[in-house]
Amino acid sequence: MVAATDFDALREQVLQCTACGLCNGRRHAVFGMGARPARWMVVGEAPGEQEDRQGLPFVGRSGQLLDAMLSAVGMSRQDDVFIANVIKCRPPGNRNPKPEEIAACSPYLMRQIELVKPERILVLGRFAAQTLLGTDATIGSLRGRMHQFAAPDGRNIPVVVSYHPAYLLRSPVEKARAWQDLRLATRG
Ligand code: URA
């Protein structure tokens, strides 16, 4: 029963969740962190090794890049942004999440969006984009324009799709496009 849960109870549910097999290998479930209410919500894929150790989202190298990107548009995770992932527990060896893991975990994200009430959502990477927008389209075809997320409470929240920071670390040439995406997210 995720739907009626308040923020603290939702966090407790996530920290104790056993809805899929990923709970067996985790050190910590990673609920998310940041401002509340938030101007933006940033949605990533799943915790990596550092996140699993610390119980916080985007604290490894990808997180450093994410913080630098947010800072470039005058935003911070302390004051403006709530950061969460589609999947709250680290997949072994950082493998891709399985459809049944996404199905088990995404109700938590939906309730987080309802409670955080962001003005805008920035989704990073294919899994987050496909989960939020209910599509199997590629990042390349989704980025560059505003989408709408129909929140469970009936609000339409503008969504911008961009590359995952881990991908940008491997392909720095794409940072120029990621910058365009950030600029798009700051508009309007
Ligand atoms: N990658 C993600 O998608 N999320 C994190 O929290 C860390 C790395």
Side-chain angles (χ1 to χ4, degrees):
M1 257 294 288
V2 167
T5 315
D6 72 17
F7 203 77
D8 292 336
L10 185 66
R11 185 199 305 274
E12 262 330 289
Q13 272 192 29
V14 166
L15 298 186
Q16 310 203 358
C17 182
T18 55
C20 81
L22 293 180
C23 63
N24 296 319
R26 73 176 176 225
R27 289 188 177 91
H28 295 105
V30 177
F31 177 71
M33 69 174 289
R36 225 166 24 99
R39 288 171 65 197
W40 288 10
M41 184 145 168
V42 171
V43 180
E45 180 177 320
E49 189 188 357
Q50 286 305 317
E51 291 76 21
D52 175 62
R53 271 181 201 280
Q54 298 185 40
L56 296 170
F58 279 101
V59 287
R61 284 185 69 219
S62 295
Q64 288 168 15
L65 178 55
L66 174 61
D67 284 337
M69 290 163 63
L70 291 173
S71 159
V73 289
M75 309 269 253
S76 76
R77 65 170 88 193
Q78 285 75 31
D79 297 327
D80 310 288
V81 177
F82 191 89
I83 303 179
N85 288 303
V86 173
I87 297 282
K88 310 301 192 205
C89 299
R90 183 190 183 200
N94 301 339
R95 67 157 167 74
N96 291 337
K98 296 179 182 169
E100 62 269 26
E101 293 161 352
I102 294 176
C105 214
S106 55
Y108 294 132
L109 178 65
M110 299 305 145
R111 183 66 182 149
Q112 283 178 309
I113 294 172
E114 243 180 319
L115 292 168
V116 171
K117 301 190 191 320
E119 292 165 21
R120 195 138 298 185
I121 303 176
L122 178 65
V123 289
L124 302 177
R126 178 164 69 94
F127 285 97
Q130 292 180 343
T131 302
L132 249 86
L133 299 175
T135 174
D136 55 10
T138 61
I139 290 287
S141 67
L142 293 171
R143 57 169 295 281
R145 64 200 152 91
M146 280 289 183
H147 301 265
Q148 298 291 325
F149 174 72
D153 61 6
R155 289 192 317 138
N156 269 335
I157 306 175
V159 174
V160 171
V161 172
S162 192
Y163 298 110
H164 194 284
Y167 172 74
L168 296 176
L169 288 170
R170 293 193 302 273
S171 307
V173 68
E174 302 289 13
K175 284 185 184 172
R177 288 206 176 94
W179 175 243
Q180 291 169 4
D181 299 334
L182 279 177
R183 298 303 301 267
L184 174 63
T186 58
R187 245 177 259 154

